[in-house]
Amino acid sequence: MSTNSHSSNDLSEVKQLGMWAAISSLGYIFWLVGGMELIERIAYYGVKASAGLYAKAPVSQGGLGINLSDYGIIISVWALLQTFVPVLTGGISDRVGYKETIFVSTIIKICGYLTMAFFPSFWGFLAGAMLLAMGTGVFKPGIQGTLVLSTNRNNTSMAWGIFYQVVNIGGFLVPLVAVHMRQLSWDNVFYACATIISLNFLFLLAYKEPGKDERLERTRKVKSGELQQEALWKDALRELKKPVVIYYMLVFAGFWFLYNSLFDVLPIHIAEWVDTSVIVTSLFGPEGTSNGILQFWLGLSNDGTKVMPEGMLNLNAGMIMTTCFIVAALTAKYRITTAMFVGCLLSILAIALVGAFNAAWMIVLAIAMFSVGEMMISPKKNEFMGNIAPEGKKAMYLGFVMLPQGIGWTLEGYFGPKLYDMYASKERIAREALSEHGMNLTDIANIPQGEAFNRLVSVTGQEPQALTQALYQANNIGMAWYIIAAIGIISAVGIFIYGKWLLRMQRQQMA
């Protein structure tokens, strides 16, 4: 393959500034868009972290009371829209303006949260998720395009690392709020998120688009006929057909299948099979803690005796929030694809640990390991695409970043809950156990969704925790996670080969 096909994509690796030099080189617009992303993520994760728990919670407890297959439909549609919309809106942001698209996206997202609150049903939540997905798809390219234009090739590793760290401050804080708000009422979560995202209107008052003069001059030349501009879809398609973009999409899709299973399925797994009271007992004794501050920051139940699933998963955001800049500084010394390959391997091992053990502290170890892997791979994807994007197409290429996420997350959204339902669903296993205990199929079918295990407890007379452990030992619960890990292994092999191919292309460019 000739190098001409890559002439507009700079594949070279540039020596990065040191950590403190890179941080001091970042201007106010970088920190402003970091704040806007923080606000957006606070609102987004307030819903996303609890979506699976809300879906499977029985109607009698304020949940949707739907099965995991229906939940999978919602997640796959959500994923499809959120990750493919930026492919188009990235190019629109480059041409219309980042400020304008960020403003529109905020209005769409507010409508999404309010739809979820006003219509607590499968169709209402699906409609809200679709609006939320479209709003996020419009929001991302403008924010990330601004970041690329406000940094340079010498500080991009640190810039993306800090940006990702700031984002996860929101990812850390809001699930803790959601834990306690949903114990009062689920609609409180949605109203709070709509209020939070509205704060971005204030940030927009101080926002100044970098490169605006160049964009307006380019628009003037197009209107006057001095410059020919392709139709947006043709322009995007031509860039997508470049091998460096096509191969990127294919090899990273498996990682995003792996990644999203952690957020879509693991909270359900923890709620059903992991006795998190062990962690509280280890830290505070068998009575737990009544300290409200500790209950909030550790994501504990209102009685302080167990860690809620969102609290467990919040270790991920907490680690990224506090250490991502360190990982960014360490990985800045290595090739981007090398860092992403190692990160993928750590994530695979973490998912395998989830399948192998249901001990609470082992799940903590798995989440911590996954978090390190995520820090090595996720900020790098944006840095990589931002670096190779041709001038005037930064937001378009950062929209392309979402394509492998779209493929991986859409597939995971549909198949992840199905895999879990097939091998690990406590609801399904409890219904089978009730049949084995002599209950007829009609009576079993009449049990409301989400309440089969409680019925099994009353039928057997066993303590819930002892019964849970017995069901776990009697069923191959970990198989779903092993299959997900296997998908990640295929992706890791692809990333390794892709890295070698890029290195060869870089050497050809230099020659």
Side-chain angles (χ1 to χ4, degrees):
M1 184 178 297
S2 68
T3 58
N4 291 338
S5 63
H6 297 272
S7 59
S8 61
N9 299 95
D10 185 359
L11 304 178
S12 61
E13 300 271 350
V14 176
K15 183 176 176 60
Q16 297 285 302
L17 294 172
M19 180 171 72
W20 298 114
I23 292 174
S24 64
S25 70
L26 300 172
Y28 103 92
I29 194 65
F30 169 84
W31 299 106
L32 182 70
V33 295
M36 294 174 73
E37 178 79 4
L38 170 62
I39 291 297
E40 189 271 344
R41 291 289 89 182
I42 287 176
Y44 178 84
Y45 282 119
V47 170
K48 187 65 168 63
S50 303
L53 301 172
Y54 175 57
K56 81 175 193 68
V59 174
S60 61
Q61 297 176 16
L64 293 181
I66 62 176
N67 59 43
L68 290 177
S69 294
D70 287 341
Y71 169 61
I73 292 171
I74 293 174
I75 291 298
S76 59
V77 172
W78 187 341
L80 189 68
L81 283 175
Q82 182 168 312
T83 52
F84 284 96
V85 165
V87 178
L88 176 61
T89 58
I92 292 174
S93 293
D94 284 325
R95 296 185 182 186
V96 174
Y98 299 156
K99 187 172 187 175
E100 290 78 0
T101 52
I102 293 169
F103 178 82
V104 170
S105 72
T106 304
I107 294 175
I108 296 172
K109 288 172 74 70
I110 290 171
C111 293
Y113 293 123
L114 293 180
T115 299
M116 291 176 174
F118 293 154
F119 304 101
S121 64
F122 170 85
W123 292 108
F125 195 73
L126 176 60
M130 291 172 69
L131 286 169
L132 195 56
M134 287 187 285
T136 305
V138 174
F139 180 84
K140 287 291 186 184
I143 290 289
Q144 294 175 347
T146 301
L147 188 147
V148 170
L149 292 179
S150 64
T151 57
N152 57 65
R153 291 293 296 273
N154 300 107
N155 63 12
T156 52
S157 281
M158 185 55 63
W160 282 112
I162 292 173
F163 183 74
Y164 201 65
Q165 183 166 351
V166 168
V167 165
N168 277 274
I169 295 174
F172 177 79
L173 290 175
V174 127
L176 298 177
V177 177
V179 161
H180 298 285
M181 294 192 74
R182 74 176 176 85
Q183 292 180 76
L184 300 174
S185 171
W186 276 106
D187 59 358
N188 285 332
V189 175
F190 307 129
Y191 290 131
C193 291
T195 303
I196 290 166
I197 191 65
S198 300
L199 296 176
N200 264 343
F201 291 130
L202 299 177
F203 279 88
L204 279 171
L205 295 175
Y207 175 90
K208 293 182 179 179
E209 179 185 335
K212 183 177 181 179
D213 292 340
E214 291 84 350
R215 175 177 62 80
L216 293 176
E217 177 63 15
R218 189 166 60 247
T219 302
R220 185 194 65 78
K221 288 182 176 180
V222 170
K223 288 182 178 179
S224 67
E226 297 175 51
L227 184 66
Q228 295 298 314
Q229 183 170 262
E230 276 187 299
L232 186 57
W233 70 270
K234 289 183 179 179
D235 194 15
L237 184 60
R238 182 164 53 80
E239 296 297 328
L240 277 171
K241 288 164 65 177
K242 291 182 177 179
V244 69
V245 178
I246 292 174
Y247 299 159
Y248 171 85
M249 287 190 296
L250 294 177
V251 301
F252 282 96
F255 170 78
W256 292 111
F257 190 106
L258 194 82
Y259 173 88
N260 284 290
S261 68
L262 191 83
F263 298 96
D264 291 339
V265 183
L266 185 58
I268 300 172
H269 179 83
I270 292 171
E272 294 190 339
W273 300 112
V274 181
D275 180 12
T276 61
S277 66
V278 171
I279 295 174
V280 178
T281 300
S282 300
L283 296 175
F284 307 109
E287 300 301 317
T289 177
S290 58
N291 187 309
I293 295 175
L294 290 174
Q295 288 178 5
F296 175 81
W297 288 107
L298 296 178
L300 305 186
S301 58
N302 287 343
D303 61 4
T305 60
K306 65 179 180 178
V307 186
M308 301 295 279
E310 302 99 319
M312 289 280 284
L313 201 58
N314 227 28
L315 174 63
N316 170 264
M319 285 185 62
I320 296 171
M321 178 181 71
T322 54
T323 64
C324 193
F325 75 101
I326 298 174
V327 176
L330 293 173
T331 56
K333 301 177 181 179
Y334 301 95
R335 287 183 56 79
I336 293 175
T337 49
T338 300
M340 291 194 286
F341 171 68
V342 175
C344 189
L345 291 180
L346 281 174
S347 301
I348 292 165
L349 183 56
I351 292 296
L353 279 177
V354 172
F357 304 97
N358 74 327
W361 284 111
M362 289 303 294
I363 301 299
V364 169
L365 175 63
I367 294 171
M369 188 180 299
F370 189 96
S371 302
V372 175
E374 181 186 344
M375 284 186 274
M376 295 181 73
I377 193 169
S378 198
K380 292 291 183 182
K381 72 183 187 300
N382 296 318
E383 179 188 351
F384 175 73
M385 273 297 182
N387 285 350
I388 69 168
E391 288 303 318
K393 297 180 181 178
K394 298 297 185 183
M396 177 186 287
Y397 266 66
L398 287 162
F400 293 166
V401 165
M402 303 300 290
L403 283 171
Q405 288 179 247
I407 297 168
W409 187 19
T410 300
L411 291 173
E412 182 279 329
Y414 186 76
F415 290 107
K418 279 188 175 294
L419 274 173
Y420 185 83
D421 189 42
M422 186 183 303
Y423 292 104
S425 170
K426 198 175 192 178
E427 179 77 6
R428 180 187 57 78
I429 291 170
R431 289 175 185 272
E432 291 175 356
L434 285 169
S435 177
E436 292 170 2
H437 278 79
M439 182 176 288
N440 68 65
L441 296 180
T442 302
D443 289 341
I444 293 173
N446 288 332
I447 297 173
Q449 188 67 31
E451 298 185 5
F453 179 74
N454 291 336
R455 183 66 62 87
L456 184 63
V457 169
S458 64
V459 168
T460 61
Q462 289 184 262
E463 289 294 320
Q465 191 53 46
L467 181 57
T468 294
Q469 194 60 29
L471 293 177
Y472 184 89
Q473 297 297 332
N475 294 273
N476 193 7
I477 304 298
M479 181 55 67
W481 298 101
Y482 297 145
I483 293 172
I484 292 170
I487 293 169
I489 291 171
I490 296 171
S491 184
V493 172
I495 293 171
F496 179 79
I497 296 170
Y498 183 68
K500 293 292 186 183
W501 176 76
L502 280 181
L503 182 59
R504 187 170 68 251
M505 294 303 302
Q506 179 188 339
R507 288 170 178 167
Q508 289 178 6
Q509 278 192 351
M510 292 173 67

